[in-house]
């Protein structure tokens, strides 16, 4: 069936007439018979061949034909992890990329797999379910989340908990690489990983616990201090849970529009976007109602609403030691995204409460209102930290192996405070390379702060015009394979409103400045400074 010559190129695919090393056609249906993965505790389940356009993931079709392989990895006492591997039978460039999970996972992230398959970088693409099934752990609020009072069995199996954020990707990677070798007849030359949110945590886990598996890692909006992220969700919910302290959408939109008025022009362009919120000295107290009873018109904040907003900007603190921050707060310009889920407590109910009830206290009647913001923080840290956090700031092994890493964070992320990424990258830089080294001088880890960026793409309804797709994989491939650091910036495109707008993303502490000429909606008109 697939008798075309199979072409490999060292660099850019130059058309049919290009001469390059050629290999015999991989045979998808034969793979199931010829491949044994028992050395990796893995069984190949099935293979399916998809011609171009035959695989439809959320409306996106595959631009290259591929062989899909499903396999099951056994691990722990009696556990298994299912993964899918997509092997393009043209345009493969000896590159492997593994895709991480979101939320509590239990499902394969096909959307991100499709994005990487289609991005012309010649990847074989793998993605797994993180070692448990969402269908066994769902609580009716969608895949990858829990609900108060609902039993989630994976939290009671230590192997499954560790697999979820620490080991899921390392469990599937050796078997995926072996399958790739069988299929194409050659070893993978370069291995990459991309994940966001919980997948960002999985990225830090790879660098910390499995530093020799990947040449390049992208950790977006990383949830790698998962325990304390849970505290930030709980904190925000507890500070907005009364009629007086709740922050309705109208109030949040009002705050964000005032913040934009105050901060937008600091970067030289009036584009309803704040390039660097840290450069803005907006004081939310300036929005206080002169008299609380005027608030109903949503053009000022009552004392209670002001306290609630300040609590969210500050992030959780230990109440037995008032100045100890437990996690950074959300940033200026992110406010419109707070409405759902923070202020309705949905985020806390989907993640913090289920984690406390199932993993930490193992008591489904546990009442999160009784959480003690002192001693219980220590209990959470000791119970769950070793199983789910990946916050070691010494990533020397990964760096010494030549590993490169890009961390990205959305300045308008309403879920995971972007300042966490910055603080953590600063700490990693210091502890891995040396005291006097700045983020800018870091030779293995770059931070990209996305102006107006939400949680893993868009997410703030007041920023429909902000590009929500980022060229991070292309930048990482260039860095790993040619040594060029992404210093001139990274292209972003694809705003939710469908506009043809592109912007330049820069590696922190650089920010994009408009060159004072050219289209403000073209990334080429900006320079990183
Ligand atoms: C692919 O492998 C299958 C099963 O081994 C075999 O029946 C088929 O003829 C092979 N196809 C090609 C084109 O070699
Ligand atoms: C396969 O599983 C066995 C038994 O659990 C374990 O000892 C071994 O290390 C595993 N092998 C690999 C390659 O993971
Ligand atoms: C292959 O296995 C996966 C995982 O068990 C399953 O979801 C899928 O339906 C199977 N596909 C075929 C064609 O049997
Ligand atoms: C792909 O799936 C979407 C639903 O996710 C559907 O609306 C669309 O028509 C499908 N496209 C094709 C070409 O089948
Ligand atoms: C192992 O897992 C299977 C499938 O979930 C289950 O049927 C079986 O009872 C488990 N065995 C043990 C010893 O836990
Ligand atoms: C909050 O407001 C709603 C509707 O205005 C009201 O029904 C409810 O009793 C109030 N709750 C409290 C605790 O005041
Ligand atoms: C913020 O504004 C309030 C009220 O206008 C004022 O009391 C406070 O000192 C200001 N804070 C800062 C840091 O400027
Ligand atoms: C709305 O609030 C603003 C700010 O406090 C106040 O100046 C204005 O008079 C209020 N308007 C109404 C209709 O209450
Ligand atoms: C906490 O911060 C306040 C004001 O920022 C300061 O006055 C106080 O001394 C600090 N307390 C401790 C224990 O550091
Ligand atoms: C579970 O939590 C409830 C509510 O806090 C408490 O009354 C009960 O004693 C707890 N059960 C156990 C076994 O700790
Ligand atoms: C980081 O870890 C390496 C070993 O992996 C060790 O040699 C080095 O001393 C550590 N650096 C610091 C600052 O702890």
């Amino acid at each position: 069936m697939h008798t075309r010559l199979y072409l490999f190129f060292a660099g850019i695919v130059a058309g049919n007439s290009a001469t390059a090393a050629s290999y015999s056609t991989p045979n998808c249906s034969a793979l199931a018979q010829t491949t044994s993965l028992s050395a990796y505790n893995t069984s190949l389940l099935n293979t399916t061949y998809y011609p171009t356009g035959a695989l439809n993931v959320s409306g996106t079709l595959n631009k290259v034909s591929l062989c899909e392989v499903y396999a099951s990895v056994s691990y722990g006492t009696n556990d298994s992890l299912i993964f899918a591997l997509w092997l393009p039978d043209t345009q493969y460039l000896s590159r492997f990329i593994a895709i991480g999970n979101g939320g509590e996972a239990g499902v394969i992230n096909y959307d991100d797999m499709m994005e990487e398959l289609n991005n012309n970088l010649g990847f074989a693409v793998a993605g797994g379910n993180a070692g448990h099934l969402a269908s066994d752990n769902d609580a009716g609020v969608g895949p990858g989340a829990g609900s108060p009072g609902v039993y989630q069995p994976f939290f009671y199996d230590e192997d499954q908990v560790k697999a979820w954020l620490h080991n899921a990707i390392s469990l599937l990677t050796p078997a995926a690489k072996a399958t790739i070798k069988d299929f194409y007849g050659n070893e993978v030359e370069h291995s990459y990983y991309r994940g966001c949110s919980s997948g960002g945590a999985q990225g830090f886990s790879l660098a910390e616990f499995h530093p020799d598996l990947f040449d390049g890692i992208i950790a977006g909006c990383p949830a790698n201090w998962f325990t304390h992220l849970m505290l930030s969700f709980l904190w925000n919910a507890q500070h907005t849970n009364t009629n007086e302290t709740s922050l309705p959408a109208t109030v949040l939109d009002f705050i964000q529009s005032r913040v934009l008025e105050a901060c937008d022009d600091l970067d030289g362009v009036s584009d309803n976007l704040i390039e660097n919120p840290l450069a803005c000295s907006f004081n939310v107290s300036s929005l206080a109602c002169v008299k609380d009873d005027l608030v109903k018109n949503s053009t000022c904040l009552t004392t209670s609403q002001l306290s609630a907003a300040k609590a969210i900007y500050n992030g959780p603190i230990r109440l037995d030691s008032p100045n100890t921050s437990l996690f950074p707060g959300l940033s200026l310009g992110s406010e419109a995204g707070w409405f759902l889920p923070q202020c309705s407590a949905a985020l806390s109910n989907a993640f913090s409460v289920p984690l406390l009830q199932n993993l930490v206290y193992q008591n489904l009647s546990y009442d999160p209102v009784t959480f003690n913001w002192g001693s219980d923080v220590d209990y959470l840290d000791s119970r769950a930290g070793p199983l789910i956090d990946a916050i070691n700031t010494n990533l020397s092994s990964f760096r010494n192996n030549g590993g490169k890493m890009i961390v990205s964070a959305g300045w308008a992320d309403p879920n995971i405070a972007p300042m966490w990424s910055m603080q953590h990258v600063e700490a990693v830089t210091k502890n891995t390379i040396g005291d006097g080294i700045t983020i800018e001088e870091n030779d293995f880890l770059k931070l990209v702060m996305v102006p107006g960026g939400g949680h893993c793409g868009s997410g703030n309804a007041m920023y429909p015009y902000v590009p929500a797709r980022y060229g991070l994989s292309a930048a990482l491939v260039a860095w790993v394979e040619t040594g060029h650091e992404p210093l001139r910036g990274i292209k972003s495109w694809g705003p939710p409103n469908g506009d043809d707008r592109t912007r330049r993303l820069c590696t922190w502490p650089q920010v994009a400045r408009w060159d004072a000429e050219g289209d403000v909606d073209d990334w080429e008109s900006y320079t990183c400074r």
Side-chain angles (χ1 to χ4, degrees), residues 18 21 48 118 144 164 173 219 240 265 279 288 302 306 338 373 378 409 466 507:
T48 310
N118 280 346
W164 169 39
T173 295
T240 53
D265 290 350
T302 63
L306 200 54
W338 298 357
W373 290 88
D378 299 328
V466 178
T507 56

Side-chain angles (χ1 to χ4, degrees), residues 257-271:
S257 55
R258 285 302 170 87
V259 170
L260 280 169
E261 272 170 33
C263 314
D264 178 10
D265 290 350
L266 295 173
D267 52 30
V269 200
S270 299
D271 55 356

Side-chain angles (χ1 to χ4, degrees), residues 66-310:
L66 63 95
C67 177
E68 178 181 67
V69 178
Y70 274 100
S72 170
V73 187
S74 4
Y75 73 93
T77 333
N78 185 25
D79 300 309
S80 63
L81 178 150
I82 306 284
F83 72 89
L85 175 63
W86 291 349
L87 302 164
D89 66 353
T90 62
Q91 299 176 32
Y92 170 67
L93 297 172
S94 296
R95 294 179 181 133
F96 167 63
I97 190 164
I99 297 296
N101 301 97
E104 288 178 356
V107 285
I108 294 172
N109 182 350
Y110 296 107
D111 286 354
D112 284 357
M113 288 179 70
M114 187 59 91
E115 185 167 338
E116 295 301 347
L117 178 82
N118 280 346
N119 75 3
N120 296 320
L121 290 168
F123 287 130
V125 186
N129 67 1
H132 62 271
L133 296 175
S135 51
D136 292 342
N137 289 278
D138 264 5
V141 294
S147 201
V150 172
Y151 174 65
Q152 291 185 284
F154 94 96
F155 276 126
Y156 299 81
D157 179 329
E158 192 167 307
D159 294 321
Q160 290 189 34
V161 175
K162 282 201 221 155
W164 169 39
L165 293 176
H166 283 182
N167 302 326
I169 306 302
S170 65
L171 282 167
L172 67 82
T173 295
K177 286 182 181 175
T179 309
I180 289 170
K181 178 164 189 283
D182 265 19
F183 189 68
Y184 299 108
N186 286 82
E187 303 272 0
V188 166
E189 279 177 36
H190 299 286
S191 298
Y192 299 91
Y193 168 82
R194 178 165 77 89
C196 195
S197 195
S198 293
Q202 291 170 326
F204 270 103
S205 291
L206 289 168
E208 177 176 343
F209 303 116
H210 314 284
D212 51 0
L213 279 184
F214 289 89
D215 304 301
I217 292 172
I218 295 166
C221 305
N224 58 315
W225 200 7
F226 206 92
T227 49
H228 284 224
L229 176 65
M230 294 302 100
L231 294 180
S232 76
F233 294 172
L234 185 63
W235 176 268
N236 293 347
Q238 289 189 353
H239 283 82
T240 53
N241 67 356
T242 67
N243 282 358
E244 288 68 34
T245 55
S246 86
L247 297 170
T250 46
V251 168
L252 293 170
D253 289 0
F254 164 68
I255 303 177
Q256 185 168 311
S257 55
R258 285 302 170 87
V259 170
L260 280 169
E261 272 170 33
C263 314
D264 178 10
D265 290 350
L266 295 173
D267 52 30
V269 200
S270 299
D271 55 356
N272 283 317
L273 206 50
I274 305 168
E275 211 58 38
N276 176 11
L278 298 183
C280 177
S281 58
F282 181 80
N283 179 351
V284 72
S285 298
S286 66
L287 303 182
C289 296
V290 182
K291 281 189 182 161
D292 273 6
D293 57 4
L294 291 177
V295 70
K296 299 289 182 244
N297 69 14
S298 293
T299 54
C300 64
L301 272 62
T302 63
T303 310
S304 300
Q305 289 175 334
L306 200 54
S307 309
K310 283 180 178 170

